[in-house]
Amino acid sequence: MQHILRCRSLWRASTLETCFGSRLQVYGEPTARFASTWAQDAEEANRGSNGPPLSGRVHILGIGNVGSFIAHSLAARSSPPPITLCMHNNLLYNAYRQRKESIAVSIHGMDNIQKGFDVEVVDPNGTWYPAPSKHDRGPGGTKSPFFNPEASGPIENLIVCTKAHHTVLAMEEIAHRLTPESTVCFIHNGMGVIDILNQKVFPDPETRPNYIQGVFSHGLTRKEQFSIAHMGVGTTILSPVGHRVAHLTGPDAEKSWAPTTKYLMQLLTLTPALVATAETPAGLIQYQLEKLAVNCCINPITALGECNNGELLYSFSYTRVMRLLLFEISAVICALPELQGVPGIEDRFSAERLRRYVVSIARMTARNESSMLQDINNRRTTEIEYFNGYIVRRGEELGIKCALNYMIKHLITGKATALAQRDRAEVPFSHEDIMFDGEEPQ
Ligand SMILES: CC(C)(CO)C(=O)C(=O)O
């Protein structure tokens, strides 16, 4: 019998299966889609539209751990699309040049290096310029991309991996290059960013780009700038979201997507290293809320207690605090208007089920320092406004008082402020921190 691989639609019964497991089936002939290149995918996504052909280029903004991993994963495909890394200053670009214009991901201690990315850098006036490649610069060539006379043009596909609190600022710098035909895929922890973005950057629904939102759960740690270690295989759950997306499932939903959205969904779900799957908007929000509950408990308690994730499980006091926070979180989630009518919500988001979920994640990541503990220790802004702050805001809308989440939010902001004040009195400002973290100290 001849065994040939054939693909299914982007939609899957369960996002817990892995990308390969679900997508490859032993059937008949290989379909064009599975065997296709990015260029064929771009052509297929554009079929039937009156617009110009798609270039298939993917821009990535926010080249931290997640952004580097996504850029690396796309470049490692058998058919890598053209990729542009968008850098927010010259220091970051120089750091990239020092890394020989490559991104390294280490898996089980073995570095896999990917090259061939294009780069654009924004100047202090907000104009983006393509950085000259190694070949264009020549020996001893110019160090600054700003010498390039040609400003960069419109963007078709943008993946934004900045942290929640940087996203609006970062988008303000690039919004003029996005059109209603563009698609922006947001991947960050926390919730509520798109609402703020719509208020501040894209108030007019007609001119706003299309959005995809992702929930990312791969375990990554940073070795150096543009060099990360992949510690645990997770998933990337994706769904087009926003006012243009029909709340349907299956091929009917795909028909309502813009060509760039179809292309980006196709490209990401067919990038093996991402283990990416397509969900409905209602499905995605449930994954986001589960992750939010984890982040509302593990992140602030470990940041206040200065302990790793596993240590939370061996303290009666910390587990009490977690339980009490989860009562409020569960009450808010179960009352959210966007979830009303979705079957099983009260069971999935009961305080007890969320507690078991949080405990399982704390156990799986026992030796990790949470991202909030790292942010606090490195004097970076925390994501608290988009974790417990989001619960408090949604609770206020629904008439549910979340006093404990409010208190936790202020304990974190208070701690960050006190540490910043202490540092200002004691430690001189260092330019190296900006260069290597890509983030300004608070
Ligand atoms: C799940 C958790 C808490 C793992 O450390 C995380 O996502 C984070 O640190 O932000």
Side-chain angles (χ1 to χ4, degrees):
M1 192 179 94
Q2 203 188 3
H3 283 192
I4 299 176
L5 300 171
R6 173 164 154 186
C7 67
R8 272 202 235 154
S9 119
L10 291 175
W11 301 89
R12 306 213 334 241
S14 160
T15 47
L16 291 175
E17 303 163 54
T18 64
C19 155
F20 268 159
S22 68
R23 219 176 271 118
L24 308 189
Q25 294 182 334
V26 181
Y27 270 21
E29 292 289 304
T31 64
R33 208 188 99 200
F34 182 70
S36 63
T37 63
W38 66 267
Q40 289 164 332
D41 286 344
E43 200 184 310
E44 190 195 312
N46 208 28
R47 194 162 297 141
S49 95
N50 301 325
L54 299 182
S55 72
R57 180 169 292 276
V58 178
H59 286 72
I60 302 180
L61 180 66
I63 326 286
N65 289 355
V66 177
S68 298
F69 181 71
I70 292 179
H72 183 279
S73 305
L74 288 172
R77 281 168 53 105
S78 55
S79 165
I83 304 166
T84 301
L85 307 177
C86 301
M87 303 201 181
H88 63 276
N89 62 36
N90 228 345
L91 291 173
L92 191 64
Y93 172 58
N94 287 337
Y96 176 68
R97 285 187 57 191
Q98 275 169 20
R99 297 277 324 163
K100 301 202 168 48
E101 305 186 8
S102 68
I103 296 181
V105 172
S106 110
I107 305 167
H108 304 305
M110 295 272 287
D111 266 357
N112 179 293
I113 294 172
Q114 294 294 334
K115 295 185 169 200
F117 304 100
D118 297 312
V119 174
E120 289 178 11
V121 185
V122 64
D123 79 358
N125 301 321
T127 309
W128 289 88
Y129 291 102
S133 79
K134 215 165 21 202
H135 312 288
D136 299 337
R137 272 195 312 267
T142 166
K143 277 203 168 63
S144 171
F146 305 147
F147 288 114
N148 202 327
E150 288 282 317
S152 307
I155 291 177
E156 266 174 19
N157 301 287
L158 177 66
I159 302 179
V160 181
C161 305
T162 48
K163 286 204 170 197
H165 49 270
H166 289 151
T167 300
V168 172
L169 268 181
M171 288 298 290
E172 273 168 353
E173 274 186 331
I174 212 160
H176 61 282
R177 299 181 59 194
L178 297 165
T179 70
E181 282 73 49
S182 315
T183 293
V184 186
C185 173
F186 296 99
I187 301 193
H188 53 242
N189 276 338
M191 290 181 77
V193 175
I194 291 190
D195 298 336
I196 302 179
L197 193 72
N198 284 345
Q199 267 169 32
K200 295 201 172 160
V201 187
F202 298 113
D204 180 1
E206 292 304 311
T207 55
R208 197 174 277 169
N210 303 283
Y211 300 144
I212 295 175
Q213 178 98 53
V215 177
F216 182 90
S217 62
H218 291 270
L220 304 174
T221 58
R222 180 185 136 124
K223 289 166 69 182
E224 286 169 70
Q225 187 96 53
F226 304 109
S227 170
I228 52 174
H230 191 197
M231 308 298 285
V233 179
T235 54
T236 311
I237 302 171
L238 300 164
S239 173
V241 293
H243 69 293
R244 292 206 195 101
V245 175
H247 285 241
L248 304 165
T249 49
D252 287 342
E254 287 179 37
K255 280 187 206 138
S256 75
W257 300 348
T260 51
T261 309
K262 273 187 217 158
Y263 169 71
L264 197 54
M265 287 294 286
Q266 175 108 329
L267 188 77
L268 295 173
T269 54
L270 290 175
T271 297
L274 295 178
V275 194
T277 60
E279 252 299 339
T280 58
L284 179 94
I285 200 175
Q286 296 175 57
Y287 286 103
Q288 282 182 290
L289 288 164
E290 275 175 349
K291 187 150 194 224
L292 181 75
V294 170
N295 289 136
C296 285
C297 292
I298 299 184
N299 294 46
I301 305 177
T302 52
L304 292 169
E306 295 176 15
C307 59
N308 60 28
N309 298 353
E311 283 174 273
L312 292 187
L313 304 175
Y314 299 97
S315 154
F316 172 75
S317 306
Y318 288 151
T319 51
R320 284 310 296 164
V321 175
M322 241 155 48
R323 248 194 143 92
L324 294 170
L325 286 172
L326 286 170
F327 279 125
E328 290 181 356
I329 294 168
S330 163
V332 171
I333 294 178
C334 291
L336 289 175
E338 55 270 43
L339 290 186
Q340 298 315 303
V342 177
I345 285 302
E346 256 142 50
D347 292 330
R348 182 163 176 178
F349 292 102
S350 71
E352 177 51 21
R353 186 177 174 275
L354 289 178
R355 187 193 64 79
R356 276 188 266 124
Y357 186 55
V358 174
V359 166
S360 74
I361 301 288
R363 197 167 284 145
M364 270 193 296
T365 59
R367 280 185 292 161
N368 292 11
E369 281 193 347
S370 76
S371 54
M372 194 171 287
L373 176 56
Q374 293 176 43
D375 287 341
I376 284 272
N377 286 340
N378 291 306
R379 309 297 186 259
R380 294 189 295 244
T381 312
T382 70
E383 296 161 304
I384 197 75
E385 282 299 337
Y386 298 88
F387 293 171
N388 307 70
Y390 179 80
I391 292 293
V392 172
R393 285 194 297 280
R394 297 306 307 266
E396 270 164 13
E397 281 168 25
L398 296 161
I400 302 172
K401 282 212 168 58
C402 297
L404 297 173
N405 280 276
Y406 185 76
M407 187 178 82
I408 284 281
K409 172 178 115 106
H410 281 284
L411 285 172
I412 289 292
T413 358
K415 178 164 181 166
T417 315
L419 288 173
Q421 275 161 359
R422 201 181 294 167
D423 288 351
R424 269 199 293 276
E426 287 173 11
V427 184
F429 184 84
S430 151
H431 267 287
E432 290 231 312
D433 292 340
I434 302 180
M435 178 155 166
F436 293 108
D437 288 352
E439 280 204 68
E440 318 228 355
Q442 276 184 334

